[in-house]
Amino acid sequence: MSLWLQQIGRQTLHRLATLGRSALFLAGGALFIPRLIFSRLFIQQLFSTGVLSLLIIIVSGLFIGMVLGLQGYTILVDYGSEQAIGQMIALTLVRELGPVVTALLFAGRAGSALTAEIGLMKATEQLSSLEMMGVDPLRQVIAPRLIAGFLALPLLAMIFSIVGIWGGKMVGVDWLGVYEGAFWSNMQSAVDFSDDVLNGVIKSIVFGVVCTWIAVFQGYDCVPTSEGISASTTRTVVYSSLAVLGLDFVLTAVMFGEF
Amino acid sequence: MYSRKVELAVGGFVLLGIGALFLLALEVSGLSLSPGKQTYTLIAEFDDVGGLRPRGKVSLAGVTIGQVTSITLDRESLKARVEMAIDTEVDYISTDSIAVISTSGLLGDKYVDVSIGGDLETLENGDYFYSTQSALNLEKLISTFATSQM
Amino acid sequence: MVQASSQNFVEIRDMSFSRGDRAIFDNVTLRIPRGRITTIMGPSGTGKTTLLRLIGGQLRPDSGHILVDGHDVPKLKRSQLYDLRKRMGMLFQSGALFSDLTVFENVAFPLRVHTELPESMIRDLVLMKLSAVGLRGARDLMPSELSGGMARRAALARSIIMDPDMIMYDEPFTGQDPIAMAVIVQLVRLLNDAMGLTSVLVSHDIQESLSITDHLVIIADGKVMGEGSPVELRDHGSDFVQQFLQGLPDGPVPFHYPAGDYTEDLIGGGGR
């Protein structure tokens, strides 16, 4: 019994210590961000986190939008209000699916790559060798990746939403024959810029910070062996997904809940 | 490797993202770029607003001419006081016009439909509608229908 | 205050360091003479690499002093430490070349971050160093295209690009074929003499190390077992030093991992 309690205590302390370390790490890395805007390092990272994730984001966005159009139509047509699919698709994407699905895909595509890359740099002593050259790895390696991730996810989420709405319009209007004027005007009267679009963007910024933070920290903190790197990569995807879904509920409650 | 290609791709990516934001703002949420359309306020009191909400459409002959800005309860008359922002261009709503709460489709959104009267004088900023017609309440309708059948 | 004698580039005094409950170093005192090649030897797992990291300030000792050219490393502020590190080079076991940069860019890296030199001068400096390690022709290769020995030489060129005062080699001979090993042995000696460097080697390859070293430190079990020139140590009284230098399989370091009585283990063995 006391052993069991001790185990709980030790685990808790260990988790807390890791959390503290990761917070310090984030603060340390963020300190360098202002000096890095538009530096080569940052642009290089924006390329590998943002541009390279573009394909998966566009393809998934298109399909999700098309599915929304199809499902929305079959449900709404029974009530004769199939013209409302415009607002249904737009609101679902802008408020929820855009930020959330993008963040999940980002964690899988860019997050795992970040963890593996940094873990490998640690395992091959590249991080140590930077330190020994008098270059702070937080500045050279971590900060550019942090800022690139912070920026890439909101951009990707907005692209995802637009592509999704376009996909929904393709199915609803071009294929199933919903009147296009009603599709757009319903959407425009239902979607509010600050309540819906901006809140969605805020969500995606929060997810961007959390996902990148987790990915980069897991890489930096990994056990520098092959097993350690693969375990950290898995943890990045699992933790990011859980954090995104949990935070999404909290943010939704704060932003859209009426109490 | 670091090269022009990377820079170009990143530039394109950022532009794409910003373009998406613009599309979301203009096409999806219908935000207008021309700074705040000039509007004036009209007020109507309803017995029952039944599901009308702020930001609901105000239309005249099916054309949107403004939107509902606030819905409050009037202390004295115990009616719902609906304030609407109407485009300034639409300055020909006669004083005897009626504001009607209608539904688009069977279950669609509630909106305020204005039916124009014949008076020569027009409503101005802060004026009240002469007459209103409340939301069609489906349950009331059914119960009236049921009792008259008996 | 502790004062460093000018003869020694690095002095470690009464330094203790532990990882978790395990003491890696226990009141260690040793010196690394200026302008010489010092080899730190010891069985695997005695924390030789840890010692280099302590000198480089990547780890902090629990107590004691680590003086590098008169600076007490554990007490330095972050910025001072980074300045001091510009005067130290370190060759990691794996080479630790940046895998996304070419050999040329790898060697040029410290110059690019620390200096504002014009491109033509960077090019000249990099080519000089690459030529010194014999890899001028390999400048456009990526690290993944290099053999282990070449990667280590490229990394060596990178560690000397800033003309450091001291260079630390972490296991430079491990896993090299005889030719590559001979090349590195020769490079260590040549660089030390030509650039007036202080060199520190961590190794357990006795023959190669003895052939070039001026000063030898043997550590085991967190203590310094012997320190001096190779000749002095050859006649050292300690059994451990003799076992280590002659490479005997049994001695103060037993062949057997600590275990219970052998016969009892065989006869009484129920489960495992």
Side-chain angles (χ1 to χ4, degrees):
Chain A
M1 179 65 189
S2 77
L3 210 72
W4 184 67
L5 260 180
Q6 190 188 352
Q7 193 64 28
I8 291 182
R10 182 184 300 157
Q11 281 293 324
T12 313
L13 285 178
H14 177 71
R15 290 284 140 89
L16 278 178
T18 309
L19 198 67
R21 247 179 316 134
S22 70
L24 281 178
F25 166 83
L26 180 66
L31 218 69
F32 290 108
I33 287 178
R35 291 185 232 165
L36 280 170
I37 304 277
F38 299 119
S39 73
R40 289 181 149 213
L41 289 168
F42 161 61
I43 289 176
Q44 179 72 49
Q45 287 312 317
L46 200 52
F47 180 79
S48 46
T49 46
V51 177
L52 295 184
S53 307
L54 211 48
L55 185 67
I56 187 176
I57 292 296
I58 288 178
V59 172
S60 329
L62 189 65
F63 279 116
I64 288 188
M66 286 164 71
V67 168
L68 281 176
L70 207 52
Q71 289 284 13
Y73 182 84
T74 48
I75 294 169
L76 291 172
V77 78
D78 289 347
Y79 304 100
S81 43
E82 70 272 12
Q83 294 181 342
I85 63 167
Q87 72 190 70
M88 195 204 86
I89 293 170
L91 283 180
T92 337
L93 279 169
V94 168
R95 283 183 181 181
E96 287 297 334
L97 292 185
V100 172
V101 176
T102 308
L104 294 178
L105 293 172
F106 183 85
R109 168 66 185 76
S112 58
L114 277 177
T115 307
E117 189 192 10
I118 296 173
L120 206 63
M121 289 181 85
K122 186 175 181 183
T124 54
E125 296 172 313
Q126 294 183 39
L127 294 183
S128 285
S129 99
L130 272 175
E131 272 185 31
M132 285 308 298
M133 281 179 213
V135 180
D136 194 336
L138 282 183
R139 181 204 156 100
Q140 188 74 22
V141 176
I142 303 304
R145 284 170 172 77
L146 283 177
I147 169 104
F150 294 176
L151 200 76
L153 186 44
L155 290 175
L156 289 171
M158 291 188 287
I159 294 170
F160 183 97
S161 297
I162 282 296
V163 173
I165 290 169
W166 185 68
K169 184 226 148 203
M170 229 165 56
V171 169
V173 174
D174 301 340
W175 183 23
L176 296 170
V178 173
Y179 173 53
E180 182 160 5
F183 180 89
W184 290 115
S185 72
N186 268 338
M187 185 189 297
Q188 291 180 356
S189 68
V191 180
D192 183 70
F193 183 68
S194 66
D195 281 358
D196 300 317
V197 177
L198 282 191
N199 274 342
V201 173
I202 291 172
K203 268 189 182 180
S204 65
I205 292 174
V206 173
F207 296 160
V209 171
V210 171
C211 286
T212 319
W213 178 20
I214 291 177
V216 172
F217 179 71
Q218 284 297 339
Y220 193 74
D221 201 49
C222 79
V223 180
T225 59
S226 341
E227 296 84 12
I229 295 173
S230 79
S232 281
T233 311
T234 312
R235 270 203 299 274
T236 293
V237 177
V238 173
Y239 288 179
S240 302
S241 308
L242 290 178
V244 164
L245 295 173
L247 272 174
D248 183 50
F249 175 73
V250 175
L251 287 173
T252 305
V254 172
M255 288 170 173
F256 304 108
E258 296 179 35
F259 29 60
Chain B
M1 276 313 315
Y2 190 84
S3 65
R4 263 172 61 85
K5 256 189 217 158
V6 169
E7 277 181 346
L8 282 174
V10 170
F13 168 63
V14 173
L15 281 184
L16 207 60
I18 294 172
L21 181 65
F22 268 97
L23 279 180
L24 283 176
L26 301 180
E27 291 296 315
V28 177
S29 67
L31 203 71
S32 139
L33 260 191
S34 50
K37 250 187 185 173
Q38 293 288 310
T39 59
Y40 66 101
T41 306
L42 291 183
I43 302 156
E45 290 189 327
F46 293 96
D47 292 325
D48 184 357
V49 286
L52 184 72
R53 285 164 170 275
R55 293 206 289 115
K57 269 194 301 189
V58 178
S59 68
L60 198 163
V63 180
T64 308
I65 57 165
Q67 61 171 356
V68 175
T69 47
S70 79
I71 300 175
T72 49
L73 194 61
D74 193 276
R75 282 182 79 90
E76 283 151 31
S77 61
L78 293 180
K79 283 182 172 185
R81 196 181 121 98
V82 175
E83 281 187 28
M84 291 163 268
I86 309 291
D87 296 346
T88 340
E89 298 150 32
V90 189
D91 53 359
Y92 37 78
I93 301 175
S94 56
T95 43
D96 59 347
S97 297
I98 308 174
V100 185
I101 294 181
S102 314
T103 314
S104 52
L106 187 59
L107 295 167
D109 278 339
K110 296 276 192 280
Y111 66 98
V112 178
D113 189 44
V114 176
S115 32
I116 293 282
D119 205 329
L120 288 177
E121 281 179 57
T122 54
L123 290 171
E124 280 168 23
N125 192 28
D127 284 352
Y128 281 69
F129 274 96
Y130 164 74
S131 161
T132 63
Q133 192 178 316
S134 293
L136 181 76
N137 192 319
L138 217 54
E139 284 159 44
K140 272 186 195 163
L141 198 73
I142 291 169
S143 71
T144 333
F145 184 66
T147 39
S148 68
Q149 281 281 326
M150 285 283 169
Chain C
M1 259 319 284
V2 268
Q3 208 62 73
S5 82
S6 56
Q7 280 181 346
N8 299 328
F9 193 79
V10 179
E11 279 195 45
I12 295 178
R13 293 190 196 152
D14 306 323
M15 187 268 293
S16 298
F17 178 79
S18 55
R19 199 169 263 159
D21 298 332
R22 205 164 83 87
I24 311 272
F25 295 112
D26 183 16
N27 269 326
V28 165
T29 298
L30 61 85
R31 61 194 182 86
I32 291 167
R34 194 183 287 270
R36 300 288 182 79
I37 299 178
T38 302
T39 305
I40 296 166
M41 305 189 90
S44 311
T46 41
K48 301 187 295 291
T49 304
T50 310
L51 187 67
L52 292 189
R53 286 176 191 268
L54 282 161
I55 295 173
Q58 289 186 305
L59 297 171
R60 260 168 214 278
D62 301 335
S63 64
H65 302 283
I66 298 171
L67 299 167
V68 175
D69 203 20
H71 302 281
D72 197 356
V73 173
K75 294 211 176 74
L76 289 180
K77 285 197 207 114
R78 202 178 168 79
S79 56
Q80 294 172 313
L81 182 62
Y82 275 104
D83 280 341
L84 182 64
R85 279 183 187 158
K86 289 178 198 164
R87 299 171 47 201
M88 302 185 207
M90 179 144 171
L91 182 68
F92 286 88
Q93 201 168 343
S94 57
L97 291 171
F98 302 127
S99 36
D100 54 344
L101 299 178
T102 60
V103 168
F104 182 93
E105 284 302 321
N106 258 290
V107 179
F109 181 83
L111 289 176
R112 293 203 199 282
V113 279
H114 288 312
T115 69
E116 306 266 313
L117 292 178
E119 191 55 41
S120 62
M121 200 180 276
I122 291 186
R123 193 185 125 88
D124 291 350
L125 283 170
V126 170
L127 290 185
M128 275 164 63
K129 303 295 181 191
L130 275 177
S131 177
V133 298
L135 288 181
R136 196 161 45 84
R139 69 185 103 157
D140 293 326
L141 297 182
M142 296 304 281
S144 54
E145 297 169 296
L146 299 179
S147 72
M150 282 161 79
R152 221 165 277 189
R153 274 148 69 191
L156 184 55
R158 187 179 63 182
S159 10
I160 56 174
I161 190 79
M162 295 291 286
D163 288 325
D165 298 330
M166 176 174 76
I167 181 159
M168 298 186 272
Y169 302 88
D170 186 4
E171 306 275 9
F173 310 122
T174 324
Q176 301 287 325
D177 64 68
I179 301 173
M181 190 129 82
V183 168
I184 290 178
V185 168
Q186 192 195 2
L187 272 176
V188 171
R189 186 78 251 178
L190 277 176
L191 287 175
N192 189 77
D193 298 346
M195 297 176 63
L197 284 167
T198 303
S199 308
V200 184
L201 270 82
V202 152
S203 176
H204 43 231
D205 294 279
I206 296 163
Q207 292 314 318
E208 286 70 30
S209 309
L210 285 182
S211 67
I212 50 167
T213 198
D214 302 314
H215 187 78
L216 199 57
V217 180
I218 295 181
I219 51 176
D221 299 330
K223 292 195 169 55
V224 175
M225 292 298 188
E227 186 176 0
S229 70
V231 183
E232 282 167 10
L233 283 184
R234 201 157 286 159
D235 304 323
H236 200 273
S238 146
D239 289 342
F240 174 79
V241 172
Q242 291 307 328
Q243 186 198 353
F244 190 80
L245 287 182
Q246 294 170 32
L248 303 176
D250 210 352
V253 178
F255 171 72
H256 288 290
Y257 191 82
D261 187 60
Y262 188 35
T263 39
E264 206 169 286
D265 223 6
L266 285 179
I267 297 164
R272 357 179 81 206

